[in-house]
Amino acid sequence: MVMTNRSTVRVLTRRVIITLIYLVVTSVNADEKIQSQVKGSNTHNHNAIDRVWGMPSDSKAHLMSAPETKSLEEVIDLIKAVESAYPDDDWKVTAARLRKTHYNSKLWDLLLIGSIDIEPASVDKGVSPSVISILKKGNIVFKDPHGNAIDVTHVWALINALSYPSIDTGIDDLSGISVADSISWVGDIGSVLSEYGLKTRPHFDSLQQYFHGYSSGSDLYGDVDGYGVFHQSIDGGMSLSQRVEFYYQGNFKNRFDYYEKATDIKFEESKNEYTVSNLSVENVIEPHVKKFAYFWTLHLCRANELECVLDDVEKKFYTTKDIDTVISLYSQWMTTQLTDASRY
């Protein structure tokens, strides 16, 4: 009886928290909708999505959809430009500052409240206008030594989440998803279901198109490498630019080892092919993706849309088959990348 009562209290507590989060995210949506009307833009237009699971950004990064392609050397120089302007920052503060220059909204502050007092990079502090413009306007993509496209904005966003886990434990206890996972691989995959269910992109004809549009290889590689850059064994006194440079000089070859340890997603070898284990799909990926899709669907719904009833979100907007399809597409991507990586 005691266990039953505790279970009931836990469920009720979760429902209260979910309702509160719903009120917060719909309030954020309403504020951003008003701002977009004032600016004459639509924050949920395809060109208004800057991908770390499509979160609208106050930094105007969301107004550009095309990624800014750079070389690794150019990416290092961008980081160094911010480090030079803020010589007292350690590497974790630099990552947070870069993230806030690119992704910066009320919902980001809600999730990453531990770094809420860190200001975005500023011209007033000595960062050149050209650097600020690059950091703000579009996702920044470069290729690693093996030719894989990496979205570095995902890398520093994830480092920010891993560095300041102030409310991480509370969120993990309530939802079963850490903030770091939520803003990286879980968010990228889970948001596909929400966007597809709400048909936010009429020019996308299938769930597969939504997946490739919202979980591109550069996004997913950015998620993987965010864990790698953060967890690599390295001199503790190194700056962020040094850590990123050191990682892509060789440590990136161990990226999936870092990823496996950080996310509890386990890989296995079968018939000369590396795949995600079935247990990881059942116990980690599927439940995490389902939970995130639920929350992200609430976020995308407007406050005045009564169709977004809490208990009916999953039934109304996407099916179990849709969930299976998205997870299968992610697993296929992982299999391809793992198998390719094993050849080096």
Side-chain angles (χ1 to χ4, degrees):
M1 181 62 69
V2 173
M3 290 300 294
T4 301
N5 288 340
R6 286 181 178 176
S7 177
T8 301
V9 170
R10 187 177 180 82
V11 169
L12 290 174
T13 301
R14 284 192 180 190
R15 286 188 176 275
V16 170
I17 296 297
I18 288 170
T19 303
L20 290 174
I21 292 175
Y22 176 66
L23 292 174
V24 170
V25 298
T26 50
S27 175
V28 168
N29 281 339
D31 289 344
E32 288 170 344
K33 184 177 182 182
I34 291 171
Q35 292 173 7
S36 70
Q37 289 171 342
V38 171
K39 295 176 182 178
S41 64
N42 177 5
T43 58
H44 287 284
N45 179 272
H46 176 62
N47 291 329
I49 296 298
D50 193 9
R51 287 300 302 158
V52 166
W53 35 271
M55 181 177 289
S57 167
D58 293 342
S59 69
K60 296 184 180 179
H62 60 288
L63 300 179
M64 297 291 290
S65 61
E68 184 82 12
T69 304
K70 299 288 182 183
S71 66
L72 175 58
E73 290 74 19
E74 288 174 310
V75 168
I76 298 297
D77 286 343
L78 287 173
I79 301 173
K80 285 182 177 179
V82 175
E83 290 172 339
S84 296
Y86 297 88
D88 294 331
D89 287 358
D90 67 17
W91 66 282
K92 294 178 179 179
V93 174
T94 300
R97 205 177 296 282
L98 286 163
R99 188 275 297 173
K100 296 191 84 169
T101 309
H102 190 77
Y103 301 111
N104 192 17
S105 70
K106 293 178 181 178
L107 191 48
W108 277 101
D109 282 343
L110 175 67
L111 290 175
L112 299 177
I113 196 168
S115 55
I116 195 169
D117 292 332
I118 298 173
E119 295 293 329
S122 169
V123 173
D124 295 338
K125 295 294 184 178
V127 184
S128 72
S130 61
V131 169
I132 296 295
S133 177
I134 291 170
L135 292 175
K136 283 186 175 183
K137 69 179 182 179
N139 283 10
I140 302 169
V141 175
F142 69 95
K143 289 188 177 180
D144 71 11
H146 289 169
N148 300 299
I150 316 294
D151 185 343
V152 73
T153 64
H154 284 232
V155 173
W156 55 53
L158 183 50
I159 291 173
N160 184 186
L162 292 167
S163 300
Y164 298 93
S166 298
I167 59 171
D168 196 48
T169 301
I171 288 181
D172 187 57
D173 287 345
L174 290 166
S175 68
I177 312 174
S178 71
V179 171
D181 287 348
S182 293
I183 71 162
S184 59
W185 69 273
V186 177
D188 278 333
I189 307 168
S191 63
V192 172
L193 287 164
S194 303
E195 303 282 350
Y196 172 73
L198 291 166
K199 300 297 184 288
T200 58
R201 304 292 174 265
H203 57 286
F204 286 173
D205 297 324
S206 66
L207 181 54
Q208 286 78 4
Q209 286 186 328
Y210 273 88
F211 181 86
H212 294 300
Y214 279 87
S215 291
S216 67
S218 62
D219 290 354
L220 297 177
Y221 259 118
D223 298 336
V224 170
D225 283 355
Y227 287 106
V229 173
F230 186 87
H231 288 295
Q232 65 182 329
S233 298
I234 203 168
D235 181 354
M238 281 188 172
S239 65
L240 181 62
S241 59
Q242 291 171 325
R243 289 168 182 271
V244 171
E245 186 173 30
F246 189 83
Y247 180 80
Y248 289 106
Q249 285 175 344
N251 274 357
F252 75 97
K253 296 176 183 178
N254 302 313
R255 58 174 34 126
F256 292 110
D257 292 331
Y258 294 125
Y259 191 63
E260 192 173 28
K261 292 175 183 177
T263 63
D264 292 327
I265 296 175
K266 303 303 179 185
F267 309 128
E268 57 189 17
E269 184 178 5
S270 176
K271 298 179 181 179
N272 297 320
E273 192 175 64
Y274 289 85
T275 61
V276 177
S277 73
N278 289 332
L279 283 177
S280 293
V281 171
E282 294 173 6
N283 298 330
V284 181
I285 299 176
E286 182 177 343
H288 280 34
V289 168
K290 287 175 68 175
K291 289 171 184 175
F292 184 88
Y294 179 87
F295 283 111
W296 192 244
T297 302
L298 294 181
H299 173 68
L300 291 182
C301 289
R302 293 293 190 266
N304 61 351
E305 289 184 354
L306 297 179
E307 64 178 346
C308 298
V309 178
L310 294 180
D311 288 336
D312 293 335
V313 165
E314 295 176 354
K315 296 177 183 178
K316 286 184 176 179
F317 299 113
Y318 47 85
T319 66
T320 300
K321 183 179 179 181
D322 295 334
I323 295 171
D324 291 342
T325 297
V326 166
I327 292 172
S328 176
L329 289 168
Y330 175 67
S331 296
Q332 289 170 24
W333 182 86
M334 266 295 182
T335 294
T336 299
Q337 308 316 314
L338 287 164
T339 302
D340 285 348
S342 70
R343 296 172 183 155
Y344 293 102

